[in-house]
Amino acid sequence: MQWFVTFMEWLAGLWAIVPPFLQVTFLVIAVMMTIIIAVAMLTLAERKVIGYMQLRLGPNRVTFFGLRAFRGIAQPFADVFKLLLKEIIVPASSSRFLFLLAPLIVLVPALAAWAVIPFSPEFVLADVDAGLLYILALTSLGVYGVILAGWASNSKYAFLGAMRSAAQMVAYEIAMGFALVGVLMVAGSLNLGEIIRGQQGGFGSWNWFWLFPLFIVYFISGLAETNRAPFDVAEGESEIVAGFHVEYSGAAFAALFALPEYANMILISALTSVFFFGGWLSPFQGYLPDDLWIAQSSFFWLFVKICAFLFVFLWVRATFPRYRYDQIMRLGWKVLIPVTLVWIGVEAMLAWLHIGPWAA
C-alpha cells in the first residue's frame, strides 16, 4: 500500500498549490456532479424498490457492455440520453423567453441549496452563519418557476396545474418554516454545522426526541414540497392532463420536473438528517469507545440517514393513494400549521422551566 500513500501525498501537495478560487470551483463541480449522478441512481432505485413491493422486477435489461451482474443499472443513463436527444418543442403562442427560463428557476435553487449542507465535520462548501435562512430562501424560490412555467405555456391546463402546485407549495412551506423555528429554538444558531454539533451525545441526544411532532410535520411537508405521492396533484393525469409541465419536452422537461424533483428529495432527506437526526454524527457516540470507527462522526452516517429517508419517500409512494386537492389543503392549513404553532409554545414552556435541551 506504500504506492497508494505516496500517491495521496502527491495529490495533497498538488492540491496545496492550486489557487483557492480553482479549489472552490472544483469542489462545487464535484458536488454538483455527485448530486446529478445520485439523482440518476435514485430513479433506478425507485423503480426497483417499488417493483419489489408490488411483486414486479423493475428495470433489468439495460446494462453496461452486456455485464449480467449490472442488469438494469444503465437504465437511468439511457433515459438521460433519450431526453437530451428529444426535440424541445416551444408552443407557438407561448412566451418563449419565460417558457425556457422557468426550468432554470426551478433547477438552480435545487442545486444551490447544497452549498451550506455540512457533509462531514471537515467538509462544507460554504460554512455561513445564516445557513438556515439561506435554505429557507432558496427552497421558496421554486414556486416562482412553477407559476412561470404554467403561465408562459399559454395553456389553460398548464396554468391550472401551476396554480394548484403553487397553492400547495406555499401552504406546506409555511409549515416547514414553523418547524424550523422549533429547531432554531433548540440550537440557538442558524449555522447548520452548529445545529449538528448541538446534538452530540448519541441517538438519544438528537433533536428528533424533543421535536418529534415538528419532525413529522417537516417530513410530510417535504413530501408535499417535492410533489411526491400522495401529494402529486400537479400531475393528476385524470384531472388536468399533466400539470404545469404539460407543454414541456426533452431536456426542458428533465430540467423542470425530473431533476429538481429527485434532487429535492435528496435535499429534504439531508436536511431532515441535519435538523433532527444529527447529520454526520454517529448514533453510537457516547455509547461506544470513541476509537471505534462506528462511534466516529463522518460522511458515512449522513449518507446512511439520507438513504433511510429516501427509502421512506419510495415506500410512501408505493403505499398511499393520491389525496384530493381539498384534503391536501386542509391538511396543510388546518393540521400541520396548528401542530407546529402548538409545539413551538410547548418548547417555550420547556425552555422557561429549563427542561430537556434547555436544562443547562
Side-chain angles (χ1 to χ4, degrees):
M1 295 295 291
Q2 183 61 35
W3 66 270
F4 180 75
V5 175
T6 304
F7 177 71
M8 295 303 295
E9 291 176 349
W10 176 80
L11 281 181
L14 182 63
W15 180 257
I17 64 176
V18 174
F21 75 94
L22 288 181
Q23 291 183 357
V24 173
T25 302
F26 174 80
L27 292 175
V28 169
I29 293 174
V31 170
M32 293 302 100
M33 292 303 299
T34 302
I35 297 301
I36 292 172
I37 294 174
V39 166
M41 292 296 99
L42 180 57
T43 61
L44 174 64
E46 177 175 39
R47 285 179 278 187
K48 296 294 284 187
V49 169
I50 295 179
Y52 288 137
M53 288 182 176
Q54 298 174 346
L55 299 180
R56 296 184 290 106
L57 293 177
N60 65 342
R61 287 293 181 267
V62 185
T63 184
F64 289 117
F65 310 111
L67 299 176
R68 295 178 60 83
F70 300 100
R71 288 182 298 180
I73 198 171
Q75 185 66 53
F77 301 96
D79 295 339
V80 168
F81 285 123
K82 178 186 70 175
L83 287 172
L84 292 178
L85 294 175
K86 278 189 172 183
E87 180 183 3
I88 299 177
I89 299 174
V90 180
S93 59
S94 68
S95 175
R96 182 180 180 87
F97 174 73
L98 297 179
F99 184 85
L100 297 176
L101 178 65
L104 293 178
I105 298 178
V106 176
L107 177 61
V108 171
L111 297 179
W114 286 93
V116 297
I117 301 296
F119 293 96
S120 72
E122 302 84 17
F123 179 63
V124 57
L125 287 175
D127 189 16
V128 297
D129 291 334
L132 186 56
L133 289 179
Y134 176 83
I135 290 292
L136 286 173
L138 282 184
T139 53
S140 300
L141 288 177
V143 66
Y144 295 104
V146 169
I147 295 175
L148 202 58
W151 182 83
S153 299
N154 197 23
S155 166
K156 293 181 176 63
Y157 293 106
F159 188 65
L160 177 59
M163 291 298 98
R164 287 164 56 120
S165 298
Q168 173 181 321
M169 293 172 73
V170 169
Y172 285 87
E173 276 174 8
I174 296 174
M176 292 180 77
F178 282 142
L180 295 186
V181 169
V183 175
L184 177 60
M185 291 176 65
V186 172
S189 174
L190 293 169
N191 186 290
L192 268 61
E194 293 301 321
I195 291 175
I196 293 177
R197 294 183 186 94
Q199 302 176 62
Q200 289 182 344
F203 184 74
S205 300
W206 295 347
N207 287 339
W208 71 271
F209 181 77
W210 294 100
L211 306 181
F212 187 77
L214 299 186
F215 154 63
I216 297 298
V217 168
Y218 186 83
F219 193 75
I220 293 176
S221 300
L223 286 170
E225 276 284 287
T226 53
N227 283 322
R228 297 287 298 180
F231 303 100
D232 55 339
V233 294
E235 48 181 307
E237 294 88 349
S238 61
E239 306 167 19
I240 52 173
V241 187
F244 61 90
H245 48 77
V246 65
E247 301 291 349
Y248 284 84
S249 61
F253 170 80
L256 178 66
F257 172 65
L259 185 56
E261 176 181 334
Y262 287 93
N264 279 323
M265 285 172 58
I266 303 174
L267 178 64
I268 293 296
S269 299
L271 291 175
T272 305
S273 304
V274 167
F275 294 141
F276 300 101
F277 284 85
W280 33 255
L281 292 175
S282 167
F284 305 104
Q285 185 186 48
Y287 301 110
L288 296 176
D290 293 339
D291 55 346
L292 293 177
W293 74 268
I294 198 173
Q296 296 175 359
S297 301
S298 66
F299 171 73
F300 169 78
W301 292 114
L302 178 62
F303 177 76
V304 169
K305 295 167 188 176
I306 290 175
C307 290
F309 286 118
L310 286 175
F311 178 78
V312 176
F313 268 94
L314 308 184
W315 194 358
V316 168
R317 177 171 183 176
T319 305
F320 291 96
R322 179 186 297 132
Y323 285 164
R324 290 198 321 266
Y325 187 70
D326 62 302
Q327 293 174 326
I328 290 177
M329 300 307 292
R330 186 184 305 117
L331 177 66
W333 287 105
K334 294 187 176 181
V335 178
L336 298 188
I337 292 178
V339 166
T340 58
L341 292 175
V342 168
W343 201 256
I344 287 173
V346 171
E347 280 191 72
M349 184 64 66
L350 293 176
W352 182 58
L353 296 175
H354 300 287
I355 298 175
W358 302 274

